[in-house]
């Protein structure tokens, strides 16, 4: 998700990190009951070998590129925006972007205009942006669980009641599109992870624990997925709809939910090594595996990072294989093509490409 940046390292080693913080309070993960477990069905498999693919269209979502020490954000309309080299996350917002950068002092979050001009304020935050389903609001969390959102006006910042954690939180999702509660809006809810518990804080001023989840990993609309338990052997996750558990799996950690809510990405249940080499596409309704992108047995296939839905039928991933970085488009039908052509590089350096947070 190379030597990953702190945010990417977090995204693909969340299970291992959570195991350290939760070990004292967790019993070993137990298999789900037949009624609660995800439905198991044979799924077609595609080997994640990206060594020789056809060139397709450029990404239809925002992406960044670092060349000769200079980083630019590519908009979906073909425009480019200069950005800091230590860019770790980005989300389109209004006429610009909410960006997060990393450094020795941790993550910093701010809004920038389309020409790269910074907004009026910057926040020291935890790693992670939470984005609403239609991208109209972006949430983030700072010291002592403070929470804010920036909406599509770009410079309107709203504060929420803090969640009960002593550290900087990690925003995961914004449920709802308009966080300013008024006659035309019911507000929104921001889901935030602490070190060992997920919380929610709403425009109504209500702060609560997220039921059933130790850590949230994805959310869109009424759907919210996350980790329920961690052991030395892996993790188990659950998908909630309206705070009610719909299914569980001990085979995957849940990642991005598709724009039509039909599918959710499943990364390996236990994160280890340089990066994952297998990716599942699951049905959001019941957790059944629709498509698997699997590793080659001889280790010749790709490692991927930044898995993000491009549209309802395609996923974009940043890949590393044979000393080359690329952005690859994966189809739910098993197709693969380059969205950004391969570039020579090393696993000891950061990837030159990055995809937006959705």
């Amino acid at each position: 998700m190379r030597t990953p940046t702190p945010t990417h390292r977090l995204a693909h080693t969340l299970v291992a990190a959570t195991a350290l913080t939760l070990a004292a309070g967790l019993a070993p993960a137990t298999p789900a009951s037949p009624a609660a477990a995800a439905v198991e069905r044979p799924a077609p498999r595609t080997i994640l070998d990206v060594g020789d693919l056809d060139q397709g269209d450029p990404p239809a979502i925002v992406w960044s590129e670092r060349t000769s020490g200079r980083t630019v954000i590519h908009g979906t309309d073909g425009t480019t925006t200069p950005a800091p080299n230590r860019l770790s996350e980005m989300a389109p917002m209004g006429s610009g972007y909410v960006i997060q950068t990393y450094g020795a002092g941790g993550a910093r979050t701010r809004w920038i205009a389309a020409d790269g001009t910074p907004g009026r304020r910057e926040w020291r935050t935890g790693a992670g942006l939470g984005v609403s389903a239609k991208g109209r609001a972006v949430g983030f969390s700072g010291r002592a669980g403070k929470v804010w959102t920036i909406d599509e006006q770009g410079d309107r910042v709203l504060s929420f009641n803090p969640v009960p954690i002593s550290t900087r939180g990690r925003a995961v999702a914004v449920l709802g599109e308009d966080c300013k509660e008024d006659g035309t809006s019911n507000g929104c809810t921001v889901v935030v992870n602490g070190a060992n518990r997920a919380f929610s804080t709403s425009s109504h001023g209500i702060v609560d624990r997220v039921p059933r989840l130790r850590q949230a990993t994805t959310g869109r609309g009424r759907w919210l997925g996350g980790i329920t338990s961690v052991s030395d052997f892996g993790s188990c996750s659950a998908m909630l709809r309206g705070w009610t558990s719909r299914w569980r799996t001990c085979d995957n950690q849940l990642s991005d939910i598709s724009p039509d809510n039909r599918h959710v990405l499943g990364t390996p249940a236990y994160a280890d090594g340089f990066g994952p080499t297998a990716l599942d596409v699951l049905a959001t309704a019941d957790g059944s595996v629709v498509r698997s992108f699997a590793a080659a047995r001889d280790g010749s296939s790709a490692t991927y990072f930044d898995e993000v839905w491009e549209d309802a039928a395609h996923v974009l991933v940043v890949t590393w294989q044979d000393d080359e970085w690329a952005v690859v488009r994966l189809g739910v039908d098993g197709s693969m093509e380059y969205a950004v052509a391969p570039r020579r590089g090393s696993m000891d350096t950061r990837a030159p490409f990055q995809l937006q947070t959705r």
Side-chain angles (χ1 to χ4, degrees):
M1 229 206 92
R2 78 172 131 138
T3 301
T5 67
T7 299
H8 299 130
R9 196 182 293 275
L10 175 62
H12 282 303
T13 59
L14 181 58
V15 173
T18 305
L20 292 176
T21 57
L22 299 182
L26 285 177
T30 56
S33 66
V39 178
E40 293 186 4
R41 300 171 185 168
R45 293 163 59 89
T46 301
I47 299 300
L48 193 60
D49 183 349
V50 303
D52 185 18
L53 303 177
D54 292 335
Q55 181 63 53
D57 294 331
I61 62 174
V62 171
W63 60 289
S64 71
E65 180 179 23
R66 192 180 72 258
T67 305
S68 301
R70 179 173 176 264
T71 298
V72 296
I73 298 173
H74 293 266
T76 55
D77 57 358
T79 59
T80 58
T81 297
N85 282 335
R86 289 186 173 272
L87 184 69
S88 58
E89 293 206 31
M90 58 191 167
M93 182 49 56
S95 60
Y97 304 92
V98 178
I99 67 168
Q100 197 165 86
T101 57
Y102 67 93
R108 293 176 181 264
T109 302
R110 73 182 318 146
W111 181 83
I112 61 172
D115 63 358
T117 303
R120 294 173 294 178
R121 191 176 170 193
E122 180 181 80
W123 296 264
R124 291 188 177 186
T125 64
L129 297 177
V131 183
S132 66
K134 296 180 180 180
R136 295 175 180 169
V138 174
F140 49 97
S141 179
R143 184 169 54 88
K146 294 179 180 179
V147 177
W148 301 270
T149 60
I150 296 178
D151 66 17
E152 59 184 342
Q153 294 185 16
D155 59 353
R156 185 170 69 177
V157 179
L158 302 175
S159 298
F160 290 69
N161 284 344
V163 297
I165 61 177
S166 59
T167 58
R168 296 176 187 174
R170 177 176 183 261
V172 176
V174 176
L175 310 182
E177 298 296 331
D178 190 346
C179 295
K180 184 175 176 57
E181 190 173 345
D182 55 27
T184 62
S185 169
N186 292 322
C188 73
T189 297
V190 184
V191 178
V192 177
N193 284 336
N196 56 11
R197 178 67 67 176
F199 295 91
S200 65
T201 179
S202 75
S203 303
H204 303 285
I206 300 173
V207 177
D208 204 354
R209 288 186 175 186
V210 173
R212 300 172 181 82
L213 300 183
R214 294 280 186 169
Q215 298 276 272
T217 56
T218 186
R220 183 179 175 86
R222 298 188 65 192
W223 293 97
L224 184 69
I227 298 168
T228 59
S229 62
V230 177
S231 75
D232 291 339
F233 307 103
S235 66
C236 291
S237 295
M239 180 62 74
L240 313 183
R241 189 173 189 271
W243 304 122
T244 300
S245 180
R246 296 295 297 268
W247 49 269
R248 289 183 63 206
T249 177
C250 295
D251 295 325
N252 298 103
Q253 180 180 325
L254 304 179
S255 187
D256 202 29
I257 298 173
S258 64
D260 62 359
N261 290 338
R262 293 184 59 191
H263 299 113
V264 59
L265 299 179
T267 62
Y270 187 83
D272 193 16
F274 177 59
T277 56
L279 178 67
D280 291 331
V281 178
L282 313 176
T284 312
D286 62 9
S288 58
V289 181
V290 175
R291 166 72 60 178
S292 289
F293 292 89
R297 291 185 177 180
D298 62 3
S300 62
S301 53
T303 295
Y304 69 89
F305 308 93
D306 281 7
E307 65 283 354
V308 180
W309 286 93
E310 181 182 34
D311 55 38
H314 299 93
V315 178
L316 293 178
V317 291
V318 175
T319 63
W320 186 86
Q321 181 177 328
D322 297 332
D323 294 326
E324 290 184 331
W325 293 98
V327 179
V328 174
R329 178 177 290 111
L330 309 177
V332 176
D333 60 0
S335 60
M336 298 191 299
E337 65 181 11
Y338 295 128
V340 179
R343 179 189 299 178
R344 296 292 293 179
S346 168
M347 65 185 298
D348 296 323
T349 60
R350 293 191 299 122
F353 310 120
Q354 189 171 328
L355 305 174
Q356 75 172 74
T357 302
R358 298 192 70 173

